[in-house]
Amino acid sequence: QKEVEQDPGPLSVPEGAIVSLNCTYSNSAFQYFMWYRQYSRKGPELLMYTYSSGNKEDGRFTAQVDKSSKYISLFIRDSQPSDSATYLCATPTDSWGKLQFGAGTQVVVTP
Amino acid sequence: DVKVTQSSRYLVKRTGEKVFLECVQDMDHENMFWYRQDPGLGLRLIYFSYDVKMKEKGDIPEGYSVSREKKERFSLILESASTNQTSMYLCASSLVGRETQYFGPGTRLLVL
């Protein structure tokens, strides 16, 4: 079983809709969670990170962690065509900085 | 701005060829990583280096080797390329103990 599971999609939504992305993880010791965004033919870039349980908001983006169910979520409000990308969840697996990534979910926002 | 560059965006190689992929970062990061990215499988760690001349195997090191002679440069070597190594290869760097990794644009390798 992979340590971080993520549905690869694709997820297609109309412009202005809320995008909901999810990952599950298996190791309850994971404390810190990240979302990376990857545009087509580019490398991933860090979008958001959050510690432990709770919410973190940054503009139209909200990241949530539910440690009791080992579930992390990313919500995109008022989605735009420019949000079309692959979104990857990730968590550190050691103190050196190695990350375990989910498979990535491809999001397509149609005008 | 952190900049991670990779030597090629696209490469086409023949089975059995020795392939070198180079990565350079300009932010004095201690950690450097090589991943491959395949549809439905996400990013899988091939090798990791936390210092010059230091390397550690990742999840899928078979068929690959690495070299880190200078802090800013991390090379991935395919000793004898095979068709199942056709993939997108991504290099990343980070400060030691810091979780944020900065990625290069990737090299799309096709092995015929």
Side-chain angles (χ1 to χ4, degrees):
Chain A
Q1 182 192 1
K2 291 183 68 175
E3 291 187 291
V4 180
E5 299 274 3
Q6 184 177 9
D7 186 338
L11 182 63
S12 183
V13 300
E15 184 175 355
I18 294 175
V19 177
S20 174
L21 302 167
N22 307 294
C23 290
T24 58
Y25 61 95
S26 59
N27 190 335
S28 58
F30 292 157
Q31 297 281 339
Y32 183 90
F33 302 93
M34 314 160 86
W35 286 95
Y36 278 78
R37 178 176 60 195
Q38 184 178 19
Y39 290 116
S40 181
R41 290 184 289 277
K42 296 279 181 72
E45 57 181 354
L46 181 66
L47 181 63
M48 289 188 74
Y49 63 88
T50 185
Y51 286 101
S52 192
S53 288
N55 291 4
K56 183 171 182 177
E57 196 170 311
D58 183 2
R60 296 184 294 111
F61 297 87
T62 300
Q64 281 184 355
V65 179
D66 182 347
K67 283 185 72 70
S68 61
S69 56
K70 299 194 188 75
Y71 202 77
I72 57 176
S73 303
L74 179 71
F75 300 97
I76 308 173
R77 290 186 300 280
D78 187 25
S79 58
Q80 305 295 310
S82 59
D83 295 325
S84 297
T86 296
Y87 293 81
L88 302 108
C89 57
T91 185
T93 55
D94 66 15
S95 59
W96 289 99
K98 283 194 282 188
L99 298 177
Q100 181 73 50
F101 285 88
T105 300
Q106 184 187 4
V107 172
V108 178
V109 181
T110 53
Chain B
D1 262 3
V2 177
K3 189 128 173 123
V4 179
T5 57
Q6 296 184 228
S7 50
S8 306
R9 294 302 304 272
Y10 301 96
L11 270 181
V12 180
K13 295 292 181 182
R14 297 279 179 194
T15 302
E17 278 193 79
K18 190 167 187 176
V19 181
F20 294 87
L21 303 182
E22 295 231 307
C23 175
V24 178
Q25 50 93 6
D26 67 356
M27 282 304 291
D28 204 35
H29 285 172
E30 295 88 0
N31 293 344
M32 295 190 76
F33 307 83
W34 274 108
Y35 295 92
R36 63 177 284 177
Q37 185 176 30
D38 301 287
L41 297 177
L43 273 72
R44 293 180 291 167
L45 182 65
I46 304 171
Y47 267 97
F48 159 56
S49 170
Y50 52 90
D51 202 351
V52 176
K53 297 191 187 296
M54 306 302 285
K55 62 185 178 186
E56 192 175 303
K57 291 180 181 178
D59 300 321
I60 51 164
E62 297 78 20
Y64 303 94
S65 62
V66 290
S67 172
R68 192 159 180 209
E69 297 296 319
K70 294 185 177 181
K71 190 174 185 179
E72 68 272 16
R73 190 179 298 269
F74 192 34
S75 301
L76 180 70
I77 303 150
L78 286 66
E79 297 290 342
S80 177
S82 63
T83 54
N84 62 11
Q85 292 179 309
T86 291
S87 187
M88 166 73 98
Y89 289 88
L90 288 158
C91 174
S93 72
S94 71
L95 290 168
V96 68
R98 301 293 293 272
E99 296 84 0
T100 303
Q101 293 184 15
Y102 297 86
F103 284 84
T107 295
R108 193 167 291 278
L109 173 67
L110 173 63
V111 182
L112 299 174

